[in-house]
Amino acid sequence: MLPSFSVSLQIMLYEISIEEYYNKAPLIPLVDVRSPGEFQQGHIVGAVNIPLFSDEERAAVGTIYKKKTKEKAIELGYQYVTPKLQSFLNESAKVSKQGAIAVHCWRGGMRSRSFAQHLHENGFQEVYVIEGGYKAFRNYVLDFFDQKFKLHILGGYTGSGKTFILDELKLMGEQVIDLEYFAHHKGSAFGSLGETAQPSSQHFENELFEYWRHLDIQRPVWLEDESARIGCVQIPKALYAQMRFNKLYFIDIPKEERAKLLVTEYAGFNSDHLAKSINSIAKRLGGQNVKAALDALENKDYYRVAMITLQYYDKAYLNGVAKRDPEMVQPIPLHTVNHAKNAKQLLEIVK
C-alpha cells in the first residue's frame, strides 16, 4: 500500500521467523501494522500498533478487493496511506531509537513488507519482517501449549484462598502462573468484581504464553484448578487437558473459615453489584436461598451471604472433582486460611 507494492528484500532488510525473533532478536522493538480492531482482538505482547489502515479503511479496501479487483483495492489503499507516510516514520522513530525495528501484519504480506520497505528507504538501518506475520505467531503459541508441562494443580472449595497460597508459593521460589490474573476474572459469578474488562481468549493465550516462555520448562509450574472457561475466557484446550489429568492437591478448609475470607474480599463492593452476582446464579442457588442471600445483603450480614452462596459453589466444585481419577486427587485437610502456613504445609506434602 506504500509506493513500492512489490518489494524484494534488500541488504539490511531481513525476513525472520517468529522463533528466530524470540531467540535472536527479542530486544528489537516490534511494530504491528494491522488495524486497531485486529490489534485489540489479539497481538504479540510488547508490540506497538502503528496501523496502516483504520478499521473503516481496511473494511473499504477489502470490499473493493472482493467486488472489483485487486488493482482497484491497491489504488484505494494507496489513497488512504499516502497522507500518513511521514507519520509512519515519526511513530516508528519513537519506537526504535537505534534504527533497528521489526514489522508484522496478519500473514507477513503486502502491508508489513511495504511498511518495512518504506522505513528502510527512509533511514532505518536494520528492518525485519516477521515471516507469516501474526498468523505464524498464533500457530507458535498454540504449538507451545501442545507440549507436555510439569504441573502441580492446586484445588479447593471457593474461599480457600488458593490465589493467596499461590502468591506465597511464588515467594518461596516456586514457579507459579495465576490464570485468573491473566483472565481478569476470579472464575465465579462474583469474579468480575474489581477487575478490568476481560481480554479475548486469543489475547489471554498470548499473555499467558509471554509469561510462561520465560519459565524453566523442566521445573514444575503451579496452577489453580479452573473450569475450561474463566469468565468469558477460554483456557487453551491442550493446556486444560493436561490440567485435568495431572494430580490435584485438594485443600479442604472448613466452610466457616472460608466464609470469613470471602467477607474480607467482597464486603467492600457495591451492594447492587453483589446483588447482581447473586441473581446471576439464582436458578442454581434456588429461590429461597436467593431471597435469603439478598435479605442478608440488605442487612449487611455478609457472612450469611457467603455461607448461603457457598452451598452452591461447594456442590458445584465437588461435582467437578468427582469427574477426576480418584487416585489423582490428594485431599489435604487444613484448619484455617493462614495462607503462608498453608503454602508451607502444601509444599512439604508435595516434596
Side-chain angles (χ1 to χ4, degrees):
M1 302 307 176
L2 303 178
S4 299
F5 294 110
S6 297
V7 300
S8 58
L9 298 182
Q10 303 170 11
I11 297 174
M12 303 303 287
L13 182 54
Y14 306 103
E15 280 197 74
I16 186 171
S17 70
I18 188 64
E19 184 174 9
E20 289 172 325
Y21 175 78
Y22 279 124
N23 292 336
K24 299 179 181 179
L27 298 180
I28 295 176
L30 181 62
V31 169
D32 183 336
V33 301
R34 296 176 303 148
S35 69
E38 291 175 287
F39 187 84
Q40 178 65 30
Q41 178 65 19
H43 57 269
I44 300 174
V45 176
V48 175
N49 189 211
I50 305 179
L52 205 63
F53 300 128
S54 68
D55 293 329
E56 295 75 17
E57 290 168 346
R58 175 174 172 263
V61 170
T63 298
I64 294 298
Y65 184 90
K66 291 179 181 178
K67 293 187 175 181
K68 295 186 177 180
T69 65
K70 177 180 179 181
E71 289 71 25
K72 289 290 185 182
I74 290 176
E75 182 180 339
L76 179 61
Y78 182 76
Q79 293 176 21
Y80 286 144
V81 164
T82 299
K84 308 176 188 178
L85 293 178
Q86 187 57 48
S87 70
F88 292 155
L89 297 176
N90 295 342
E91 292 303 310
S92 298
K94 294 177 184 177
V95 174
S96 174
K97 297 179 180 179
Q98 304 299 322
I101 198 166
V103 180
H104 80 85
C105 59
W106 166 235
R107 288 188 296 188
M110 187 177 293
R111 284 189 288 178
S112 58
R113 290 169 183 272
S114 299
F115 193 98
Q117 185 73 11
H118 180 56
L119 298 184
H120 180 57
E121 292 174 349
N122 286 275
F124 284 78
Q125 300 173 357
E126 192 175 342
V127 184
Y128 297 85
V129 176
I130 304 296
E131 294 175 351
Y134 182 70
K135 184 176 182 180
F137 163 75
R138 285 293 301 155
N139 289 333
Y140 188 71
V141 169
L142 295 176
D143 287 344
F144 178 86
F145 287 116
D146 270 337
Q147 67 182 303
K148 185 173 178 57
F149 298 106
K150 296 179 179 179
L151 301 178
H152 289 329
I153 309 300
L154 174 61
Y157 294 119
T158 298
S160 297
K162 297 184 290 293
T163 298
F164 299 118
I165 292 175
L166 290 177
D167 290 340
E168 293 292 338
L169 289 171
K170 188 173 182 179
L171 291 175
M172 297 165 69
E174 294 295 297
Q175 294 192 133
V176 171
I177 293 180
D178 185 348
L179 295 172
E180 294 178 356
Y181 168 81
F182 290 107
H184 300 184
H185 200 283
K186 298 183 182 69
S188 71
F190 299 83
S192 63
L193 296 176
E195 299 285 348
T196 56
Q198 286 197 268
S200 66
S201 291
Q202 182 183 118
H203 196 60
F204 167 73
E205 291 176 349
N206 296 349
E207 293 271 8
L208 190 58
F209 160 77
E210 175 60 24
Y211 185 86
W212 204 319
R213 74 183 183 89
H214 294 287
L215 300 181
D216 182 353
I217 302 299
Q218 302 306 314
R219 292 180 55 210
V221 175
W222 283 91
L223 298 174
E224 182 176 338
D225 187 28
E226 303 282 359
S227 299
R229 300 181 72 88
I230 306 175
C232 65
V233 164
Q234 179 82 39
I235 295 175
K237 291 182 179 179
L239 173 61
Y240 183 69
Q242 289 195 55
M243 291 172 63
R244 294 298 295 176
F245 286 103
N246 268 269
K247 191 168 187 176
L248 175 70
Y249 296 94
F250 181 89
I251 56 174
D252 190 356
I253 299 174
K255 181 185 294 185
E256 293 76 13
E257 293 297 311
R258 293 185 282 116
K260 293 176 186 176
L261 178 61
L262 291 174
V263 171
T264 65
E265 287 192 76
Y266 291 102
F269 288 108
N270 182 285
S271 292
D272 289 341
H273 294 164
L274 291 170
K276 183 178 179 180
S277 296
I278 292 170
N279 282 317
S280 71
I281 55 172
K283 290 183 179 179
R284 290 165 288 183
L285 195 57
Q288 289 185 330
N289 285 330
V290 170
K291 184 180 184 305
L294 292 175
D295 288 343
L297 179 62
E298 186 175 355
N299 294 323
K300 300 188 184 303
D301 187 351
Y302 301 111
Y303 178 79
R304 177 159 173 71
V305 173
M307 288 294 285
I308 292 171
T309 55
L310 282 176
Q311 293 180 42
Y312 157 68
Y313 281 113
D314 285 5
K315 182 179 179 180
Y317 188 74
L318 196 58
N319 286 339
V321 173
K323 297 176 183 177
R324 290 177 175 269
D325 179 351
E327 294 185 1
M328 296 299 289
V329 179
Q330 181 171 347
I332 303 175
L334 298 171
H335 303 296
T336 69
V337 287
N338 183 320
H339 314 307
K341 183 178 179 180
N342 290 348
K344 184 177 179 180
Q345 185 172 342
L346 177 65
L347 201 55
E348 288 174 353
I349 291 172
V350 171
K351 291 185 174 180

